[in-house]
């Protein structure tokens, strides 16, 4: 069976100064996951490990380095879905969990539920020995600085998160970060997808985006394909982006045509974003309608490719 991997570090307005770091971060995670899959790891283990690596990288808006909500707190969302048995686990609005993807996976494997939120999710973490951390361990200077700037009235930072900036705001520097995700198909043909995020800038406390919602931010069915989405969550939820794209593929759409159609539908509700996909034959793809998206694709046929701008580099 064809092995494939797709990873992303968010579809948004990555500033010029951050391009190289995002390229390097996404390459690191792609190589890591590809090596695991090559060594015979299951898609479930490879995807978990890739997302954990990206959560630990402060460059990305997931785990360490997440955005702050309107009250200055980090609240995290994550989900993972296994496509053989359609098993899924997700957590939303959780605080003080270093790796929400590990908690989502614990929900998948050890709970009779699919989605746990807030205090209940933390209680489940404690019972299942998923590591907790201090709130400040997840906080990085850049996220705090952005929070203070928004509080001081720079609300255009919120408006330009996913849309192109004009010339003047392009000078404001790297204030955003990107959600992370991974989709893999292992040698047994199992497809797994996962997504993890700190959510959108200045989100209302308790706000939950698409990332932990199965069908919207994440979906996997080994018979059809898998997807992880990123972008404006309120729009992605309304068009049920991950599942509707997989459905287009199963109805016969070519992979990128299906993703482009899903993004056109997202634009209908005023949304911007992107997604990574793997189809049932192990073909990986990525698509976005934001200015940039950090993404990487790996398969035997095309090797390893990664990019943040429109083009992708083939990796040695
Ligand atoms: N989709 C995420 C959310 O709305 C944010 C992102 O992908 O950047 O929470």
């Amino acid at each position: 069976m064809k092995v494939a991997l797709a990873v992303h570090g968010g579809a948004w307005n990555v500033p010029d100064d951050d391009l190289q770091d995002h390229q390097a971060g996404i390459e690191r995670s792609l190589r890591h996951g590809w090596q695991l899959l090559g060594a015979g790891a299951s898609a479930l283990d490879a995807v978990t490990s890739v997302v954990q690596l990206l959560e630990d990288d402060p460059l990305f808006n997931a785990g360490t380095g997440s955005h702050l909500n309107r009250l200055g707190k980090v609240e995290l969302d994550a989900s993972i879905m296994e496509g053989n048995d359609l098993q899924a686990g997700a957590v939303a609005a959780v605080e003080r969990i270093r790796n929400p993807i590990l908690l989502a996976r614990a929900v998948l494997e050890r709970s009779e539920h699919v989605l746990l939120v807030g205090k209940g999710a933390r209680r489940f973490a404690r019972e299942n020995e998923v590591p907790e951390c201090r709130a400040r361990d997840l906080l990085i200077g850049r996220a705090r600085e952005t929070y203070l700037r928004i509080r001081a009235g720079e609300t255009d930072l919120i408006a330009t998160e996913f849309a192109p900036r004009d010339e003047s705001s392009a000078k404001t520097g790297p204030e955003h970060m990107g959600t992370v995700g991974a989709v893999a198909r292992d040698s047994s043909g199992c497809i797994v997808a996962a997504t993890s995020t700190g959510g959108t800038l200045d989100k209302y406390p308790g706000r939950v985006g698409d990332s932990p919602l199965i069908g919207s931010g994440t979906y996997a069915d080994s018979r059809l394909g898998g997807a992880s989405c990123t972008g404006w969550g309120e729009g992605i939820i309304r068009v049920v982006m991950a599942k509707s794209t997989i459905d287009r593929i199963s109805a016969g759409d070519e992979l990128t045509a299906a993703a482009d159609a899903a993004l056109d539908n997202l634009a209908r509700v005023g949304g911007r974003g992107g997604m990574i996909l793997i189809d049932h034959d192990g073909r990986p793809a990525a698509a976005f309608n934001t200015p940039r998206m950090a993404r990487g694709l790996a398969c035997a046929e095309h090797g390893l490719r990664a990019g943040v701008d429109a083009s992708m580099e083939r990796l040695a």
Side-chain angles (χ1 to χ4, degrees):
M1 291 260 191
K2 283 187 206 156
V3 173
L5 175 67
V7 301
H8 74 80
W12 59 287
N13 210 345
V14 184
D16 294 348
D17 290 351
D18 270 9
L19 271 181
Q20 274 190 344
D21 286 347
H22 279 76
Q23 177 81 24
I26 215 69
E27 284 183 16
R28 222 173 6 252
S29 67
L30 187 70
R31 289 187 202 280
H32 173 72
W34 193 238
Q35 196 181 8
L36 287 175
L37 287 167
S42 67
L44 192 61
D45 284 343
V47 158
T48 305
S49 185
V50 165
V51 172
Q52 189 178 356
L53 188 80
L54 290 164
E55 286 177 340
D56 288 340
D57 187 336
L59 197 60
F60 300 106
N61 172 28
T64 308
S66 289
H67 290 329
L68 300 179
N69 71 12
R70 206 165 290 178
L71 294 180
K73 292 193 168 170
V74 171
E75 283 187 344
L76 302 165
D77 299 341
S79 66
I80 185 161
M81 182 163 187
E82 190 266 356
N84 279 359
D85 300 323
L86 306 183
Q87 298 280 4
V91 292
V94 284
E95 294 182 51
R96 298 187 215 176
I97 299 292
R98 190 182 294 276
N99 291 110
I101 195 64
L102 296 183
L103 186 52
R105 177 149 173 191
V107 173
L108 182 155
E109 290 178 327
R110 293 182 228 151
S111 161
E112 71 270 41
H113 304 300
V114 169
L115 173 61
L116 295 177
V117 306
K119 288 188 187 130
R122 277 197 53 211
R123 181 191 169 115
F124 188 78
R126 234 164 278 142
E127 285 172 5
N128 286 276
E129 291 169 12
V130 175
E132 293 180 273
C133 63
R134 296 170 303 183
R136 64 168 180 262
D137 294 337
L138 300 170
L139 185 64
I140 60 160
R142 188 164 67 176
R144 190 167 175 276
E145 189 193 309
T146 302
Y147 171 77
L148 293 174
R149 284 171 63 182
I150 292 171
R151 297 275 77 71
E154 282 190 63
T155 47
D156 63 319
L157 296 180
I158 305 164
T160 57
E161 188 169 3
F162 302 113
R165 309 151 193 248
D166 60 25
E167 271 299 299
S168 54
S169 60
K171 299 190 186 84
T172 55
E175 62 280 334
H176 304 314
M177 292 83 75
T179 289
V180 307
V183 184
R185 182 179 195 254
D186 63 27
S187 53
S188 76
C190 180
I191 296 179
V192 174
T195 313
S196 180
T197 187
T200 45
L201 274 178
D202 200 45
K203 65 183 183 181
Y204 196 85
R207 178 264 187 191
V208 173
D210 60 296
S211 308
L213 301 185
I214 298 302
S216 292
T218 303
Y219 198 76
D221 181 336
S222 303
R223 296 182 192 173
L224 306 176
S228 168
C229 301
T230 170
W232 184 54
E234 280 69 11
I236 295 171
I237 292 170
R238 282 187 267 157
V239 300
V240 199
M241 198 156 91
K243 177 69 162 76
S244 65
T245 310
I246 303 293
D247 285 345
R248 284 177 199 274
I249 295 168
S250 65
D253 272 18
E254 190 268 325
L255 203 58
T256 34
D260 287 343
L263 290 168
D264 285 350
N265 210 23
L266 180 63
R268 250 182 78 196
V269 294
R272 286 175 185 267
M275 65 198 308
I276 51 170
L277 294 159
I278 290 180
D279 73 2
H280 58 283
D281 276 335
R283 277 183 295 249
F288 56 103
N289 65 359
T290 45
R292 286 169 174 156
M293 177 179 179
R295 67 219 184 273
L297 306 175
C299 61
E301 196 182 343
H302 298 291
L304 273 63
R305 293 166 287 159
V308 182
D309 257 329
S311 63
M312 295 186 92
E313 273 174 43
R314 182 146 188 180
L315 312 186

